[in-house]
Amino acid sequence: MSLFWRMFLSNAIVLVIATGLLIGPWVTVSSPVLVHEALVLCGGLMAMLVANGLLFRIGLAPLKRLTKAMADANLLEPGQRARVTGRGELAELTESFNVMLGRLESERAESSGRVLSAQESERRRVARELHDEVGQTLTAVILQFKGIADRVPTSLHEEVVTAQETVRGSLDEVRRIARRLRPGVLEDLGLPSALRALVTEFSAPGVTTSHRVDGSLTALGAEAELVLYRVAQEAMTNAARHSGASRIGLELRTAGGRAVELTVSDNGTGLRHAAEGAGLQGMRERALLLGAALTLTSRDFGGTTVRLRVPLLTEGAT
């Protein structure tokens, strides 16, 4: 039954009952209206309003559920659908919304894939230029300083050496940035080695890092390995720079032979209901590419756990 006819029949039933009571022997109205008659009429009016309100609430409940589903829909958390109940226009509207949401999720995944692919290409280009251009220039400057240090007076020797070490530190920083932009160890040695190197990179005074990486993981494919690496990199960056954590742990393991699970946990300040920034949204978009499940858990006493579960296809690892 359509929404129009449900609302119409609900009001018609209430009005028919009210008319039957008025023309029947149970209700009489004097002129002027007596007090008890006015009370009966007011009571009948209230009963009609209550009945009408209840019928409207029941009839419009599916529309309210659909409105809530629309408000809660998040393309970065796929799989959310509005519950279809009954038949008629509201059921058709709910089904149409679910179809539209699925199409939007698919289009968002495709567009995110193109954007992330372009980002990775740009990262490789910038890393290559840093390594080939800036890195070689700084290396040449270090060699020039070395030659100058051998010829300058003794009084200036210490200053030249200090300048040389400053340039050497800048060269190390450029190389570190280039490695983060283009994880060569991931391409050369695979995901387990890349994750171990990543954890080592975040070790610093006051920060203890640990890792448990299953080295016997089935090959996941270049795209899946890159997603896992980038999510681990972003999670550890957030823990080291923003949470004030003193312990950061990383674990990569197989989950029941049907998925690979990456977990990054820390003992920092936690999310504290903060709005998700570009980093967390980037992790969700990367997870969306693989149909993976990304969950973030923040404990009341401090600490955050980022867990990425990447499903394995039945045909083999991807």
Side-chain angles (χ1 to χ4, degrees):
M1 184 182 297
S2 68
L3 180 62
F4 167 78
W5 283 110
R6 281 194 292 180
M7 296 296 98
F8 175 79
L9 291 177
S10 298
N11 280 279
I13 291 172
V14 172
L15 291 175
V16 167
I17 294 174
T19 303
L21 292 175
L22 287 175
I23 64 177
W26 304 280
V27 179
T28 58
V29 180
S30 304
S31 183
V33 179
L34 301 178
V35 175
H36 72 278
E37 293 174 343
L39 292 176
V40 171
L41 290 175
C42 290
L45 177 62
M46 291 298 298
M48 289 175 57
L49 292 176
V50 171
N52 212 25
L54 289 175
L55 291 173
F56 266 93
R57 178 177 289 275
I58 295 172
L60 296 176
L63 188 59
K64 185 176 181 180
R65 287 196 297 269
L66 179 59
T67 302
K68 186 178 185 303
M70 289 180 175
D72 295 340
N74 185 355
L75 297 181
L76 295 180
E77 297 180 7
Q80 301 178 3
R81 295 294 183 269
R83 183 163 57 94
V84 180
T85 57
R87 299 166 60 184
E89 292 136 327
L90 283 179
E92 294 176 1
L93 180 61
T94 304
E95 290 176 352
S96 298
F97 169 74
N98 288 339
V99 171
M100 180 194 69
L101 191 59
R103 186 171 63 251
L104 290 175
E105 289 174 353
S106 177
E107 293 175 355
R108 176 63 182 268
E110 292 178 1
S111 62
S112 296
R114 290 192 293 269
V115 170
L116 293 173
S117 177
Q119 287 180 353
E120 290 298 331
S121 298
E122 185 66 11
R123 283 171 181 253
R124 286 192 292 270
R125 185 189 67 81
V126 173
R128 186 167 55 251
E129 291 185 358
L130 284 174
H131 183 273
D132 297 343
E133 301 295 334
V134 180
Q136 290 182 6
T137 301
L138 291 177
T139 301
V141 172
I142 292 173
L143 294 176
Q144 290 175 357
F145 271 120
K146 181 176 177 57
I148 294 172
D150 296 335
R151 299 194 303 269
V152 298
T154 307
S155 59
L156 297 176
H157 185 271
E158 185 175 352
E159 295 182 12
V160 174
V161 171
T162 301
Q164 182 182 5
E165 292 303 317
T166 301
V167 176
R168 193 186 305 277
S170 299
L171 177 61
D172 292 340
E173 182 66 16
V174 167
R175 288 173 175 170
R176 187 187 66 82
I177 294 173
R179 285 196 302 269
R180 298 198 67 189
L181 289 172
R182 180 180 178 271
V185 65
L186 178 63
E187 300 173 359
D188 299 334
L189 302 178
L191 182 62
S193 297
L195 290 179
R196 294 188 187 100
L198 179 67
V199 173
T200 303
E201 181 181 335
F202 279 91
S203 297
V207 179
T208 302
T209 58
S210 62
H211 61 79
R212 287 197 302 172
V213 178
D214 186 355
S216 62
L217 290 173
T218 306
L220 294 168
E223 184 179 28
E225 287 189 348
L226 183 60
V227 168
L228 284 162
Y229 181 85
R230 290 301 188 195
V231 170
Q233 186 181 50
E234 182 64 34
M236 295 200 69
T237 300
N238 290 338
R241 294 184 180 177
H242 307 301
S243 71
S246 60
R247 293 194 308 273
I248 305 174
L250 181 146
E251 181 181 6
L252 182 69
R253 64 183 183 88
T254 55
R258 294 176 296 179
V260 173
E261 189 171 271
L262 170 73
T263 305
V264 178
S265 58
D266 64 73
N267 65 339
T269 57
L271 298 175
R272 295 184 177 180
H273 307 290
E276 291 191 0
L280 294 181
Q281 291 181 0
M283 287 194 290
R284 294 194 183 280
E285 288 180 347
R286 291 184 183 278
L288 194 62
L289 292 178
L290 305 177
L294 179 73
T295 57
L296 288 86
T297 306
S298 186
R299 296 176 291 276
D300 294 335
F301 53 85
T304 302
T305 300
V306 177
R307 182 172 286 106
L308 177 67
R309 188 182 180 92
V310 179
L312 297 175
L313 299 181
T314 55
E315 298 178 352
T318 58

